[in-house]
Amino acid sequence: MKILVAVKRVVDYAVKVRVRPDRTGVETANVKMSMNPFCEIAVEEALRLREAGAAAEVVAATIGPTQSTDTLRTALAMGADRAVHVLHDPDPARPLLPLAVAKILRAVALQEKPGLVILGKQAIDDDCNQTGQMLAGLLQWPQGTFASKVLLDKEKQKLTVEREVDGGIETICLDLPAVITTDLRLNQPRYATLPNIMKAKSKVIKKFTPEELSVDIRSDMEVIEVNEPPKRKAGVILSSVDELLDKLKNEARVL
Amino acid sequence: MGAMVAGALRRGSGYGGGGGGFRCSSRLLAQSLRRFASTLVVAEHDGGFVKPSSLSALAAAEAIAKGNKISVLLGGFGPALHKAADHAASSHPLVSEVLVADSETLAHPLAEPWAELLHSVQQKGGYSHVIASSTSFGKNLLPRAAALLDVSPVTDVTAIKEPRVFVRPIYAGNALCTVKYTGEDPCMLSIRSTSFSPATEAMSETKVAPITQVDLSFLSEGTIGKSTWVNLTSQDTERPDLANARVVVTGGRGLKSAENFKLLEQLAEKLGAAVGATRAAVDAGYVPNDLQVGQTGKIVAPELYMAFGVSGAIQHLAGMRDSKVIVAVNKDADAPIFQVADYGVVADLFEVLDELLKKIPDKK
């Protein structure tokens, strides 16, 4: 079986983003970019399934500008076998939406015929939390979102997924092929070692355009403006618990 | 009829191209929507009542247009569903119809049959908007149904400016993005329930919306056999639900152990508060992960948020920065949490906790 993993290049999670003065978006020039943390977890899970003998090949895919190749190289250095890069230059006013990404990934999935697709549960830039669900819907495959544990039964072609839901942990069982999206607690992603980074340079990255995959990437969303969130007014440092209780009772009136 | 008028207007406007003509007709469109908006709210229920997060979705539906006709979709199985339907029918003055889908297939929140249900109900009803709350149920279901309908949903809406113009946080709440939906009907959104307070005024006894059973013939073996529900392990807790609590006390890595978290629970008991945690505390195994507050956990906005031993990483602030009053207790005076706190105490959290436990009277 083959596993397809979708990865996204985003502003590094530790960067404090700044809104551009013209309010068209956030500043991404000269900002550190990395693989979306949830995508790293997705790559790691695919590699573990391959190492456990449940899968034969791990293919990483991304949709994005030329620089997104770096993100694919990271996935390859972690251990993915090869990669697919669908080139797309973003327009800040008409960003590529999860629906378009899901349509491109469906085209890639129809070509590669994986038994399982793993994605992160959300990208930490747009915070949409949509792509995996949409891909599953388009393919008419079952979905296991927010996965914190994945068990694959190769013989029965079934997947048991523990999901992080509001009230606790929910367990569901899915027929393969299926789509899963990763939650933070699924695993601890490995670091790429130097020899593996070197090896990754010779691994194959196939390049496509959305047109070559015959995917229409029309956008039905327009970004009107991006603003800073309202600042909170400066707080005060108190010297005692009594003072705190007094403020909460008499000033803030919340106790 | 509303959908037809709106559709005709949009076809005439050539909305895909944008430009000046678009702006003019979009105003017409907005006007027609204000008159003809019809919203489907996908509601969740528990123990025979509509959940508070879904009541917030009703409030969001009201914000879309005055006189909006709201239909509520409730799915599930058995008597509790019908009791919840009665609750939904009298839950908001704008609710004009409650649609009930009663089937064993829908007894559990599996995305596959639910997305088919939503797809079918939308195709029959031709709603201009479909709203769910950004709960794990809503986030699982809405995008799948949207893909079946070939439209782009808007996630985690915190404000509705116009019937198709919304504000949503991006980059862990460090930027607010205003987007305009320009696609086909329906405009689908998941709303952040802490941003929409449900109407509190009592409904008049006479206003009860009719309840209709949904025709479930669309449920085919092919789509529903692919996933099965096994079980749910929930943390049984007497305390209020984290997402809707009036007071939240949260612990971070500074709590040092699961044992010490009991102190926070005692404080929560006294305050009638819910207990939250940072990712560090969850990863260290102090508390289960459904207590995590942050970008990837729960988003809360209580009246009072008390953070003990929480440094205030970007990802944590994303989940609590809209709280009305924030209290931070931390040994480190440079911890970023103090930049958002209204009241800060730079001290050992265990000493502060002890003193608070002594000085706050028990909840009656």
Side-chain angles (χ1 to χ4, degrees):
Chain A
M1 185 182 84
K2 191 189 286 181
I3 301 178
L4 180 67
V5 186
V7 296
K8 184 178 184 182
R9 177 178 179 264
V10 298
V11 171
D12 189 85
Y13 74 94
V15 171
K16 174 101 175 73
V17 295
R18 283 202 328 272
V19 171
R20 277 193 219 119
D22 65 0
R23 300 208 228 155
T24 55
V26 307
E27 200 55 74
T28 50
N30 303 317
V31 170
K32 187 185 176 200
M33 306 291 279
S34 310
M35 189 191 293
N36 179 44
F38 290 98
C39 302
E40 284 185 15
I41 295 169
V43 174
E44 176 66 33
E45 195 62 20
L47 297 176
R48 288 185 190 193
L49 287 167
R50 189 190 63 193
E51 285 156 7
E57 193 183 26
V58 173
V59 181
T62 200
I63 297 118
T66 323
Q67 301 94 305
S68 295
T69 308
D70 299 347
T71 310
L72 287 177
R73 289 281 173 216
T74 307
L76 294 170
M78 284 173 77
D81 298 290
R82 55 190 178 82
V84 177
H85 185 175
V86 182
L87 283 155
H88 176 266
D89 273 310
D91 166 4
R94 290 251 168 200
L96 196 64
L97 297 173
L99 183 59
V101 174
K103 285 179 178 175
I104 293 169
L105 288 173
R106 173 179 58 178
V108 174
L110 292 176
Q111 225 172 52
E112 295 282 347
K113 300 190 171 47
L116 179 63
V117 184
I118 312 183
L119 304 88
K121 81 161 177 184
Q122 77 191 59
I124 59 162
D125 52 359
D126 63 22
D127 282 332
C128 276
N129 197 334
Q130 297 175 354
T131 309
Q133 294 89 312
M134 295 187 126
L135 176 62
L138 293 174
L139 288 167
Q140 292 284 340
W141 290 2
Q143 68 191 50
T145 50
F146 328 141
S148 58
K149 195 171 177 190
V150 175
L151 282 172
L152 199 143
D153 187 331
K154 213 176 154 188
E155 239 153 73
K156 290 195 191 136
Q157 289 287 295
K158 274 189 188 293
L159 203 62
T160 305
V161 183
E162 287 186 8
R163 309 179 52 229
E164 291 196 9
V165 296
D166 289 340
I169 302 281
E170 182 187 76
T171 309
I172 56 171
C173 194
L174 310 174
D175 291 347
L176 291 179
V179 175
I180 44 185
T181 72
T182 64
D183 216 314
L184 274 177
R185 267 160 292 273
L186 183 58
N187 60 46
Q188 189 66 48
R190 69 194 65 186
Y191 288 105
T193 58
L194 189 60
N196 285 343
I197 294 171
M198 300 310 290
K199 245 189 267 169
K201 293 192 176 169
S202 55
K203 290 184 182 173
V204 179
I205 299 180
K206 262 200 271 182
K207 288 187 194 283
F208 293 99
T209 61
E211 295 73 41
E212 282 166 346
L213 295 168
S214 337
V215 180
D216 162 30
I217 54 162
R218 82 193 144 83
S219 163
D220 41 18
M221 208 85 71
E222 198 180 312
V223 172
I224 295 179
E225 59 178 19
V226 174
N227 290 298
E228 298 265 1
K231 291 251 186 310
R232 290 188 75 96
K233 66 169 176 48
V236 289
I237 298 289
L238 310 174
S239 56
S240 73
V241 171
D242 288 323
E243 205 183 335
L244 174 64
L245 286 172
D246 175 66
K247 293 276 191 195
L248 291 179
K249 275 189 194 120
N250 303 318
E251 194 178 277
R253 296 176 191 281
V254 286
L255 276 191
Chain B
M1 176 195 160
M4 267 168 56
V5 173
L9 273 168
R10 257 182 304 118
R11 267 193 294 283
S13 74
Y15 63 96
F22 172 64
R23 213 162 330 180
C24 163
S25 57
S26 98
R27 200 174 312 126
L28 274 173
L29 170 64
Q31 276 165 8
S32 76
L33 277 170
R34 244 188 301 283
R35 279 194 357 245
F36 300 117
S38 63
T39 298
L40 179 70
V41 170
V42 188
E44 291 167 74
H45 59 97
D46 183 34
F49 292 96
V50 176
K51 284 192 183 177
S53 55
S54 299
L55 297 176
S56 293
L58 288 173
E62 184 182 11
I64 282 174
K66 291 282 163 243
N68 191 349
K69 276 176 69 168
I70 304 173
S71 300
V72 179
L73 174 62
L74 276 172
F77 186 55
L81 168 66
H82 296 279
K83 188 163 174 259
D86 290 337
H87 179 212
S90 58
S91 59
H92 194 287
L94 293 180
V95 171
S96 64
E97 183 182 29
V98 178
L99 302 168
V100 174
D102 187 356
S103 162
E104 212 171 341
T105 319
L106 300 166
H108 300 297
L110 287 168
E112 296 76 21
W114 274 91
E116 297 286 331
L117 169 67
L118 188 45
H119 179 240
S120 163
V121 167
Q122 169 61 31
Q123 286 199 320
K124 286 209 183 82
Y127 303 96
S128 64
H129 293 74
V130 174
I131 305 182
S133 179
S134 282
T135 55
S136 59
F137 170 80
K139 288 190 278 198
N140 191 39
L141 163 65
L142 209 65
R144 185 179 178 106
L148 300 182
L149 293 160
D150 197 24
V151 299
S152 283
V154 192
T155 299
D156 233 4
V157 167
T158 54
I160 294 167
K161 289 195 153 175
E162 281 174 37
R164 294 190 171 223
V165 178
F166 311 105
V167 179
R168 60 178 301 265
I170 52 174
Y171 289 91
N174 286 299
L176 296 176
C177 185
T178 305
V179 294
K180 178 185 210 164
Y181 179 71
T182 57
E184 302 277 324
D185 279 356
C187 172
M188 295 179 92
L189 39 151
S190 71
I191 57 108
R192 184 172 281 193
S193 53
T194 53
S195 302
F196 298 91
S197 355
T200 43
E201 75 222 70
M203 288 262 306
S204 65
E205 289 293 316
T206 46
K207 175 81 174 66
V208 177
I211 298 173
T212 320
Q213 303 289 324
V214 177
D215 170 20
L216 295 173
S217 53
F218 64 88
L219 282 173
S220 64
E221 277 299 316
T223 48
I224 59 175
K226 289 179 175 175
S227 63
T228 44
W229 189 85
V230 181
N231 66 27
L232 172 72
T233 15
S234 60
Q235 306 290 327
D236 275 323
T237 162
E238 306 271 292
R239 275 186 292 279
D241 176 41
L242 182 54
N244 301 300
R246 201 186 68 83
V247 181
V248 174
V249 294
T250 291
R253 203 197 309 265
L255 261 291
K256 292 201 179 82
S257 72
E259 203 52 39
N260 290 338
F261 244 90
K262 300 240 158 64
L263 294 171
L264 270 197
E265 286 169 18
Q266 284 172 29
L267 179 65
E269 202 104 323
K270 289 195 169 212
L271 296 171
V275 173
T278 65
R279 183 187 171 193
V282 172
D283 284 352
Y286 304 164
V287 283
N289 44 29
D290 55 326
L291 297 191
Q292 185 179 329
V293 171
Q295 181 183 19
T296 65
K298 299 238 166 55
I299 312 281
V300 301
E303 282 176 39
L304 173 60
Y305 188 88
M306 302 181 84
F308 293 87
V310 172
S311 63
I314 297 170
Q315 291 76 16
H316 182 73
L317 299 183
M320 45 67 79
R321 63 192 306 153
D322 293 329
S323 306
K324 293 207 178 61
V325 176
I326 298 173
V327 173
V329 180
N330 203 308
K331 268 198 296 212
D332 176 9
D334 297 325
I337 188 81
F338 286 121
Q339 287 162 22
V340 300
D342 301 280
Y343 304 113
V345 181
V346 182
D348 183 279
L349 70 93
F350 295 107
E351 283 167 24
V352 175
L353 264 179
D354 271 347
E355 214 177 326
L356 282 171
L357 286 172
K358 280 194 201 106
K359 287 180 177 163
I360 296 174
D362 281 328
K363 190 113 185 151
K364 300 124 309 243

